[in-house]
Amino acid sequence: MKLHCDGQPVTLAALRTIWIEPAQISLGDDARRRIDESAAVVQKVVDSGKSVYGVNTGFGQLAQVSISVNDLARLQENLVRSHAVGVGPLLPDAIVRLILVMKIVSLAQGYSGVRSELIDTLCALVNHEIYPSIPVKGSVGASGDLAPLAHMAGALLGLGEVSVDGQIMAAKDALGEAGITPLTLAPKEGLALLNGTQVSTALALAALFRAEHVLAAAITSGAMSADAVKGSDTPFDARIQDVRGQPGQVTVASLLRTLMQGSEIRASHLECNRVQDPYSIRCQPQVMGACVDVFEHVARVLQTEANAVSDNPLVFAESGDILSGGNFHAEPVAMAADYLALAIAEIGAISERRTALLIDSHLSGLPAFLVRDGGLNSGFMMAQVTAAALASENKSLAHPASVDSLPTSANQEDHVSMATFAAHRLHNMLDNVSSIVAIEVLAAAQGIEFHHPQNSSAVIETIIQQVRLFSPPYETDRSLSGDIEQLADLIDGGSFCEPCRTVLPSFEA
């Protein structure tokens, strides 16, 4: 992936690629001109002796303290050192790569007053695959992601640790081996690095990309379950969707029809007496379609934020003004993450209900718990319990983070977004729902095979064949734990995306 920063917005598809694989990034001439003009405004302020927040003053409640010219470099380094107080596990390299790229994109727009040299050093980290070690916890998502971005900034100074080829090493040593000179920060540069929503946004973007994989798998597993219980595809008729008009619903119903097209199982019961299926089968277009619409909204918000200038104060070179505002407040990211959490929870909730339907012989018409010799064998009884446990856990995790706020910095920062946690908790939810959907795929495959020699659609039978490469049919009781984990990994990795690419925002960009 090669990215040339020269004023063009970064697409969602490019961000997905940066999340997946290493990237090469560079600055264009127009970007350098804007950056240099902005930095010149800051230098003019320093030369004039005028007090401007973040340039020659303290920070937060200490903003009234003037700093002498001789201490300006130390001021910025002290800011980085004092704010690097994150705790918890380190962010994965893929997410750190997104953070670095988005910070470059933001600074390169020329509103932050930093030098080209600083941005070039950030580019060098990306290009040499040197990823700062950033603990995941410690940000409340206002005044930017201060603590985690301080750990990122420290690496530019040769402070702290970094990840290189998956190994943790001292930042100073990694820079030396790559031939990168550690920076001495100029006025405002530490603040420009620490202010910003890049950590929250990277976590949310990575969750969106993973959620797309789960969404695709859950639409597919829903079609499989519908066929396994001899459900009707009439509720997926285009006419029903069109009179409501919700775009996600229309799209999901079309996908379900395509996935089930040509099923011999469906053809075998066209004239059956069943009037209506349970909601988890019948209302898939409405539920999953609403999730698709959520994904579209979240994608728009996050793509905008990925291209945003979110530090403070901002430098407007044309007028020479330096304006203090609040673009670092990550409320848009927090609310988008909370909205995405609802969709993730619902994907898991309806999937678990379909698994419960499959194992209930009174409703599904299949052998109890999807196994021969029930009683002697318990079949999928406990697999559904696991799905229920995970779905219930996701209900708690779906509680909105953005409604919480604790004042910080002696009440100077009296309302915060909690965006970093809002985005980070999505990954725990996605781990859960990947397993929930994996359980449904295994159960639905078992159910469909009870109908053989009547086959499902060609698409679904191909999926079952792929599952059977590592998970044989359930004949007698055995542990399904390994099967579930392996299938969940395939789901998380995007193995089910191909039939459903049209509903995945980052695949369309």
Side-chain angles (χ1 to χ4, degrees):
M1 177 69 191
K2 292 185 178 181
L3 186 65
H4 188 63
C5 287
D6 208 16
Q8 298 300 315
V10 182
T11 67
L12 206 60
L15 291 165
R16 167 181 269 281
T17 303
I18 290 163
W19 172 62
I20 293 172
E21 62 186 34
Q24 294 289 306
I25 188 166
S26 60
L27 289 176
D29 291 339
D30 285 347
R32 290 187 183 278
R33 176 186 53 77
R34 292 191 300 270
I35 294 162
D36 292 343
E37 290 172 353
S38 177
V41 173
V42 173
Q43 187 58 49
K44 185 176 180 179
V45 167
V46 173
D47 294 341
S48 72
K50 179 183 177 181
S51 290
V52 173
Y53 175 73
V55 176
N56 49 17
T57 71
F59 307 103
Q61 200 177 59
L62 301 175
Q64 307 307 317
V65 179
S66 296
I67 308 298
S68 69
V69 173
N70 293 334
D71 287 331
L72 294 185
R74 183 180 175 190
L75 171 71
Q76 299 299 318
E77 182 175 331
N78 282 353
L79 179 70
V80 173
R81 288 180 179 272
S82 67
H83 283 53
V85 291
V87 298
L90 299 179
L91 290 172
D93 289 351
I95 291 179
V96 175
R97 186 166 55 245
L98 273 175
I99 293 168
L100 289 168
V101 169
M102 286 190 292
K103 178 58 77 172
I104 292 165
V105 169
S106 178
L107 298 179
Q109 295 183 53
Y111 296 101
S112 302
V114 304
R115 300 164 297 157
S116 297
E117 178 185 353
L118 181 148
I119 305 176
D120 286 334
T121 306
L122 281 169
C123 290
L125 293 186
V126 175
N127 295 341
H128 286 88
E129 299 178 40
I130 298 172
Y131 304 120
S133 296
I134 302 177
V136 69
K137 297 183 180 182
S139 173
V140 295
S143 277
D145 292 312
L146 293 171
L149 286 174
H151 287 276
M152 179 206 75
L156 300 174
L157 280 60
L159 304 174
E161 295 180 327
V162 297
S163 172
V164 180
D165 295 327
Q167 301 298 313
I168 302 298
M169 63 187 298
K172 184 177 180 181
D173 294 339
L175 295 183
E177 291 181 11
I180 302 170
T181 303
L183 282 176
T184 298
L185 295 175
K188 194 186 174 298
E189 289 185 338
L191 188 60
L193 287 167
L194 270 59
N195 269 177
T197 62
Q198 287 80 28
V199 174
S200 300
T201 306
L203 282 163
L205 276 170
L208 174 65
F209 299 149
R210 291 184 62 197
E212 289 179 323
H213 297 168
V214 171
L215 175 73
I219 293 172
T220 303
S221 66
M224 294 174 67
S225 292
D227 225 13
V229 300
K230 290 191 171 182
S232 173
D233 57 2
T234 298
F236 310 150
D237 189 293
R239 292 168 292 181
I240 296 174
Q241 327 312 319
D242 289 343
V243 296
R244 191 177 199 183
Q246 295 289 353
Q249 176 180 331
V250 172
T251 303
V252 169
S254 175
L255 283 171
L256 290 168
R257 293 195 302 272
T258 299
L259 287 165
M260 297 179 70
Q261 187 174 9
S263 169
E264 295 173 0
I265 299 171
R266 175 62 187 124
S268 72
H269 61 94
L270 287 173
E271 305 300 327
C272 69
N273 295 325
R274 185 186 298 177
V275 177
Q276 291 183 329
D277 296 312
Y279 289 178
S280 62
I281 298 295
R282 193 188 346 152
C283 298
Q284 290 185 73
Q286 290 77 13
V287 176
M288 299 300 286
C291 294
V292 168
D293 291 337
V294 170
F295 280 39
E296 291 284 355
H297 171 76
V298 170
R300 286 193 298 271
V301 172
L302 295 182
Q303 183 177 359
T304 298
E305 195 68 18
N307 288 282
V309 180
S310 57
D311 63 292
N312 185 64
L314 298 178
V315 180
F316 296 88
E318 288 187 3
S319 63
D321 292 330
I322 300 179
L323 306 180
S324 187
N327 280 1
F328 51 67
H329 201 297
E331 195 78 2
V333 180
M335 288 188 170
D338 284 343
Y339 200 17
L340 186 56
L342 297 178
I344 293 169
E346 281 297 270
I347 291 168
I350 196 170
S351 173
E352 181 278 327
R353 286 293 80 203
R354 289 192 296 263
T355 298
L357 173 62
L358 286 163
I359 67 173
D360 186 339
S361 60
H362 300 292
L363 293 173
S364 69
L366 297 165
F369 302 106
L370 300 173
V371 69
R372 306 286 188 192
D373 298 325
L376 176 62
N377 294 298
S378 295
F380 278 72
M381 181 188 297
M382 288 307 298
Q384 185 268 327
V385 172
T386 296
L390 297 175
S392 181
E393 183 178 316
N394 274 359
K395 292 177 186 177
S396 295
L397 289 170
H399 184 280
S402 58
V403 298
D404 185 29
S405 178
L406 283 175
T408 61
S409 193
N411 280 311
Q412 176 73 11
E413 299 154 8
D414 59 348
H415 180 277
V416 297
S417 72
M418 297 298 176
T420 321
F421 169 71
H424 179 245
R425 64 71 145 83
L426 297 174
H427 293 274
N428 291 333
M429 297 182 70
L430 287 162
D431 290 342
N432 289 343
V433 79
S434 293
S435 294
I436 294 169
V437 175
I439 290 168
E440 184 190 1
V441 170
L442 292 172
Q446 183 82 357
I448 286 170
E449 287 179 331
F450 280 123
H451 297 301
H452 286 174
Q454 291 176 339
N455 287 326
S456 185
S457 69
V459 173
I460 289 175
E461 290 292 344
T462 298
I463 290 169
I464 293 173
Q465 290 172 13
Q466 293 170 346
V467 170
R468 291 295 176 239
L469 294 175
F470 61 88
S471 177
Y474 198 103
E475 303 292 348
T476 59
D477 278 346
R478 60 184 175 87
S479 172
L480 280 174
S481 181
D483 305 57
I484 295 166
E485 289 184 0
Q486 190 166 347
L487 186 50
D489 286 343
L490 290 172
I491 290 169
D492 192 37
S495 293
F496 286 75
C497 286
E498 193 56 40
C500 302
R501 289 174 68 92
T502 56
V503 301
L504 308 177
S506 74
F507 282 78
E508 292 183 308

